[in-house]
Amino acid sequence: MKRIFADVIQFRGSHYDFGFMQGELLRDSFLVKNREQQWKLRKPQFKIDIDETKQVFEDLAPFIWEEFLGLQDALKWSLDKVLMEFGGYRVNIRPSGCSILVGEDYMIRNYDYHPKTYDGRLVAFQPIDDGYATLGLTQKITGRSDGVNEKGLTMGYTFMNRKRPGNGFVCYMIGRLILELCSNVENAVQLLKDIPHRGSFSYVLFDSTCEMPFIVETSPRRVEVRQGYTCTNHFKILTEENRRVLDDSNKRLQAIEGKNHLNGLEAFRLLNDSDKEVFSKLYGSWAGTIHTSAYFPKKLEAWCALGGDQEPTIFNFAEWLNGADFSLAKIEGKVDTDIPFVNMEKADWYR
């Protein structure tokens, strides 16, 4: 078993200053050094058009562009490199897992992916310039894999396929845009209909007024909306986009379907306990459960656990919004793998 951690990062201020602070934290980090090593060994399967990317962000969320500039100044990188690493526009995504269950007052989510992709960062950010305050787990620093905002809107996504990617935003930047731009599920659904999508993902959306969550099925070609309490890794409407083999996705869906009557702790245990057929140890196949997160939109509370069979660490986001900082600097856990994690140790996965 490997002991792992995620840093708890808290910031109140402008997006530029937030970016600068993150850049200072990243400057000599394992995360940056390991990713630089990766680029020496493989070529990116995408290209960056700085002018196009800047225009897209300035039209939609100019404050996030300011965060990129803060990162650039702190890291002393070219803007092209900042956008390649953190921009969230026109980036390929590898296959992954993930399972989401929504109940009466919660959204529980297993984040299943590869250790070499994991930021190991839970971030609370309260901007003073624009955008809603958010709490969530990051992906590629500027993106969010799941989270909640000050209005009680919660979001998580699940991977569907790698077929025919298009020009557009990737999942984790879309997650960030949803949380910072949208006050409720209806706003988030409209945003997902309006923006260009790089890949094919389902976004599960839930807020404090929802009787049933919305699941938005997206691809570069089409966006469809349905309602439901469970989501794994296949579409229900965009079935032509599904992968050929869906055995694992169906197995996890069967394990959580019809379980939305459970209370929050029972649902958390269903996803996090390693003997319940939802938690995955397939880390080498890009589908091992790294964290289980839970969001409670009415009381603005979040839970997080790293690895399986763990007790959740609880974060009172409502109190944080009123100025009470979290006391924890790290979340700790353990996973059943010897694969190095990009955020905490020197690693070369290609050797």
Side-chain angles (χ1 to χ4, degrees):
M1 299 291 284
K2 178 191 292 288
R3 297 204 66 83
I4 63 172
F5 66 83
D7 294 310
V8 177
I9 296 170
Q10 309 173 64
F11 191 82
R12 298 175 177 87
S14 72
H15 281 78
Y16 175 87
D17 289 340
F18 183 42
F20 194 90
M21 182 274 288
Q22 293 180 96
E24 290 187 311
L25 292 177
L26 290 168
R27 190 180 298 124
D28 298 314
S29 67
F30 280 120
L31 195 150
V32 164
K33 291 177 180 178
N34 283 328
R35 284 183 175 159
E36 286 178 344
Q37 184 65 21
Q38 290 179 45
W39 290 126
K40 293 177 182 178
L41 299 167
R42 64 185 179 92
K43 293 182 179 180
Q45 299 299 308
F46 60 91
K47 67 184 181 73
I48 299 294
D49 184 317
I50 293 177
D51 292 337
E52 178 180 341
T53 305
K54 181 179 181 180
Q55 189 62 56
V56 166
F57 275 100
E58 289 194 336
D59 289 345
L60 188 62
F63 43 88
I64 292 181
W65 186 261
E66 291 296 312
E67 188 172 320
F68 298 152
L69 298 181
L71 281 160
Q72 179 189 16
D73 287 349
L75 291 167
K76 295 179 171 51
W77 287 1
S78 68
L79 186 55
D80 185 80
K81 184 175 180 180
V82 169
L83 295 178
M84 183 177 77
E85 292 288 354
F86 310 129
Y89 191 76
R90 293 190 176 189
V91 181
N92 272 338
I93 298 295
R94 293 291 299 268
S96 63
C98 298
S99 307
I100 297 177
L101 170 63
V102 181
E104 181 180 351
D105 63 347
Y106 60 78
M107 184 182 80
I108 317 284
R109 182 260 218 287
N110 273 3
Y111 178 78
D112 301 347
Y113 214 11
H114 194 287
K116 78 178 190 179
T117 69
Y118 198 64
D119 282 0
R121 293 158 62 95
L122 182 141
V123 170
F125 174 41
Q126 190 171 37
I128 62 171
D129 43 7
D130 206 350
Y132 295 119
T134 62
L135 172 66
L137 281 301
T138 77
Q139 191 172 359
K140 289 295 180 72
I141 306 302
T142 57
R144 299 293 182 269
S145 62
D146 46 73
V148 62
N149 71 15
E150 63 182 271
K151 298 295 185 180
L153 175 63
T154 65
M155 176 285 308
Y157 56 76
T158 63
F159 168 79
M160 296 296 141
N161 70 64
R162 296 183 68 198
K163 296 179 180 179
R164 295 176 292 155
N167 292 343
F169 291 104
V170 297
C171 54
Y172 44 82
M173 182 52 69
I174 292 172
R176 172 77 180 275
L177 293 171
I178 288 170
L179 293 174
E180 286 215 31
L181 293 175
C182 302
S183 61
N184 55 42
V185 163
E186 289 76 17
N187 295 160
V189 169
Q190 190 59 52
L191 176 68
L192 288 167
K193 290 179 178 179
D194 291 343
I195 62 175
H197 296 266
R198 170 70 176 173
S200 298
F201 288 79
S202 283
Y203 296 84
V204 181
L205 307 168
F206 187 55
D207 65 27
S208 58
T209 65
C210 273
E211 292 186 6
M212 181 180 287
F214 283 76
I215 301 172
V216 185
E217 300 185 357
T218 71
S219 81
R221 291 155 289 284
R222 193 153 62 103
V223 174
E224 296 288 349
V225 183
R226 63 184 176 91
Q227 288 188 276
Y229 294 100
T230 55
C231 188
T232 52
N233 301 108
H234 58 278
F235 288 133
K236 294 289 188 72
I237 299 176
L238 303 182
T239 54
E240 73 278 5
E241 298 275 1
N242 283 335
R243 289 171 284 173
R244 183 175 59 85
V245 179
L246 297 172
D247 294 347
D248 182 64
S249 181
N250 280 314
K251 177 184 174 184
R252 285 181 283 110
L253 185 65
Q254 290 169 10
I256 61 176
E257 226 165 15
K259 303 294 176 58
N260 56 293
H261 63 279
L262 299 175
N263 65 39
L265 183 58
E266 291 169 336
F268 191 89
R269 293 267 60 91
L270 175 64
L271 270 70
N272 188 251
D273 287 354
S274 59
D275 61 352
K276 298 291 197 304
E277 299 188 326
V278 186
F279 186 91
S280 171
K281 297 183 180 181
L282 300 175
Y283 298 99
S285 300
W286 295 75
T289 303
I290 300 177
H291 75 243
T292 303
S293 53
Y295 300 98
F296 299 83
K298 291 181 180 177
K299 57 184 179 180
L300 288 181
E301 188 171 278
W303 300 358
C304 184
L306 299 180
D309 306 305
Q310 302 288 306
E311 292 301 313
T313 300
I314 298 174
F315 296 90
N316 189 323
F317 189 42
E319 290 185 358
W320 189 88
L321 290 169
N322 288 322
D325 284 350
F326 303 135
S327 59
L328 283 179
K330 287 187 185 328
I331 307 168
E332 297 184 345
K334 55 186 179 180
V335 293
D336 188 9
T337 182
D338 59 0
I339 299 173
F341 275 71
V342 69
N343 67 309
M344 52 180 276
E345 55 200 315
K346 184 177 181 180
D348 184 353
W349 298 272
Y350 296 91
R351 184 165 296 167

